[in-house]
Amino acid sequence: MEYEFLRDVTGVVKVRMSMDHEAVGHWFNEEVKENLALLDEVEAAAQALKGSERQWQRVGHEYTLWMDDEEIIIRANQLSFDDDGLEEGMSYYDEESLSFCGVEDFFAVVKAYRLFLQGK
């Protein structure tokens, strides 16, 4: 999972993710917005899930983060298309709205994000 942190013209940190993980970047950009308390909450939930079969989710304004002991799923809240009206062989492009990644990979990005913020 490749990622890049940058600042826009107003100084706000933006996260860009590699293909198949765009929703992770959108989650940081739309939900986290430099809110380290939210990252603390997600990390605490991950610790609580270790070694269990339980699941946890955090519903945000635009994206929902779902997690178990092994996997993170980030999904756009508006991702609910009815594809009955599509022609055969056609489908909606939703790569930017849904991402799956391992817990370790996700928290490597969280750690790098925190370090980037500290380097202001």
Side-chain angles (χ1 to χ4, degrees), residues 31 59-65 75-80 97:
E31 302 299 335
V59 179
H61 298 288
E62 298 289 330
Y63 288 85
T64 295
L65 182 143
R75 177 181 180 268
N77 294 341
Q78 298 300 318
L79 186 62
S80 59
S97 302

Side-chain angles (χ1 to χ4, degrees), residues 27 37-59 63-75 98-108 110:
W27 181 78
L38 173 57
L39 296 180
D40 293 341
E41 178 185 345
V42 173
E43 289 175 322
Q47 288 297 320
L49 291 175
K50 272 194 177 171
S52 76
E53 293 187 18
R54 291 178 294 148
Q55 301 169 352
W56 182 85
Q57 76 173 9
R58 174 73 153 69
V59 179
Y63 288 85
T64 295
L65 182 143
W66 176 90
M67 159 174 54
D68 65 15
D69 188 34
E70 298 176 358
E71 185 175 47
I72 303 269
I73 299 171
I74 296 180
R75 177 181 180 268
L98 179 67
S99 292
F100 299 83
C101 64
V103 170
E104 288 180 18
D105 290 338
F106 178 79
F107 285 108
V110 169

